Amino acid sequence: MEERPVPIEITEKFRQDFSRLSQEISKTIVGYPDIITHVLIGLFAGGHVLLEGVPGLGKTMLVRTLSESLDLPFSRIQFTPDLMPADIVGTNLIAEDESGKKRFEFQKGPIFSNIVLADEINRATPKTQSALLECMQEKSITVAGVVRKLEEPFFVLATQNPLEMEGTYPLPEAQLDRFFFKLLVPFPSLENLNEILMRTTEKTIIHPQKILDQQTIATYMKLVREVFIAPHVRDYASRLVLSTHPESEYRS
């Protein structure tokens, strides 16, 4: 089947909205333009993003600002050692109707949202971390044998502290594979630190404006899938993956 080119008007509109969204987030987040760009790429590509850095660098603020710039439901999960999988995905509770008849009723967890902040994900135990495996890969949740689909778009933006910090549990490889990007958040420069200090001590508080709604985001996510990839680029990506295997002929 012959591929039809994407109208230039749509791609130009996407480019403009991407730039507007990035600029709106930059009004609150100082000094991380590349990280903002990669977070937005992960969103529109349908992936998930992991941010790593020491506490106090604005990782949580970045996610919150993104949610405020998008007209999407947002939920935040604070990962702690005593957090259980049911606290994330939800559980069946016994409910009683007007006639006194009892039944099981599913109580949704905070994972049922479009943008989910998994704050300090590596402070929870591996058992709790694994609750996100099906959610992030299949965009669905299975509880008591019942599969429940998550609403699109579904975007997990997780933060984690460096492993050398006290009270952290390393993410298993299967969990890391669910993320599109792992972005390292560096400490701000002196210039950026002064700018942050000035913004946070002023009387004027910046509130990000809504830039995109759910329908527009879904349209752009489909648009990304229509981008043409040259055969030699696909071949390079495949050879790059194969070169990571010790027994591969492409390993240098």
Side-chain angles (χ1 to χ4, degrees):
M1 184 176 65
E2 184 179 355
E3 295 185 2
R4 291 186 298 179
V6 179
I8 188 65
E9 296 82 5
I10 299 178
T11 57
E12 181 61 23
K13 182 67 165 56
F14 173 60
R15 187 191 67 80
Q16 294 175 359
D17 285 343
F18 189 100
S19 178
R20 287 174 54 218
L21 184 58
S22 178
Q23 292 173 7
E24 193 66 28
I25 296 174
S26 297
K27 292 179 181 179
T28 304
I29 305 301
V30 180
Y32 299 126
D34 292 339
I35 290 180
I36 293 174
T37 298
H38 283 82
V39 167
L40 296 181
I41 291 174
L43 169 65
F44 290 114
H48 310 285
V49 177
L50 176 64
L51 301 174
E52 180 179 306
V54 298
L57 297 183
K59 301 186 297 297
T60 302
M61 179 62 71
L62 170 60
V63 185
R64 190 174 298 278
T65 304
L66 173 65
S67 69
E68 293 177 356
S69 302
L70 302 174
D71 192 11
L72 291 175
F74 165 78
S75 65
R76 178 178 182 270
I77 306 172
Q78 180 63 55
F79 280 71
T80 56
D82 60 345
L83 191 72
M84 298 300 291
D87 298 327
I88 297 175
V89 301
T91 186
N92 287 315
L93 300 177
I94 299 177
E96 186 174 335
D97 56 23
E98 297 177 355
S99 62
K101 186 177 180 180
K102 295 182 180 180
R103 70 183 189 282
F104 281 108
E105 186 176 286
F106 182 70
Q107 182 70 36
K108 291 183 178 181
I111 200 69
F112 284 87
S113 188
N114 291 120
I115 298 181
V116 177
L117 166 58
D119 207 6
E120 296 185 308
I121 188 173
N122 62 336
R123 290 201 179 277
T125 60
K127 179 180 180 180
T128 301
Q129 293 172 6
S130 66
L132 292 174
L133 289 175
E134 181 185 4
C135 307
M136 296 173 64
Q137 182 67 30
E138 308 296 336
K139 308 293 177 67
S140 64
I141 294 173
T142 303
V143 178
V146 179
V147 179
R148 293 175 171 84
K149 284 291 184 181
L150 297 171
E151 185 180 4
E152 295 280 5
F154 176 69
F155 181 53
V156 174
L157 221 170
T159 68
Q160 75 168 7
N161 300 130
L163 294 180
E164 61 268 15
M165 300 193 69
E166 185 178 355
T168 60
Y169 298 84
L171 293 175
E173 291 185 2
Q175 185 76 64
L176 289 173
D177 288 343
R178 299 304 198 265
F179 290 100
F180 196 78
F181 286 130
K182 176 183 177 182
L183 306 177
L184 302 180
V185 183
F187 202 81
S189 63
L190 176 61
E191 180 182 359
N192 291 331
L193 199 58
N194 285 329
E195 179 66 22
I196 294 171
L197 180 62
M198 184 177 64
R199 292 190 186 187
T200 54
T201 55
E202 289 180 343
K203 292 182 179 179
T204 304
I205 300 177
I206 301 175
H207 295 285
Q209 297 180 351
K210 301 290 185 185
I211 303 298
L212 300 177
D213 57 20
Q214 185 172 359
Q215 183 177 358
T216 305
I217 295 172
T219 300
Y220 287 156
M221 291 177 70
K222 293 179 181 178
L223 175 65
V224 169
R225 295 285 182 175
E226 299 181 23
V227 175
F228 176 76
I229 303 177
H232 70 279
V233 176
R234 290 198 301 265
D235 181 70
Y236 175 78
S238 298
R239 286 187 284 108
L240 185 63
V241 172
L242 290 175
S243 65
T244 63
H245 295 262
E247 70 279 5
S248 173
E249 61 179 303
Y250 298 100
R251 182 177 175 83
S252 57

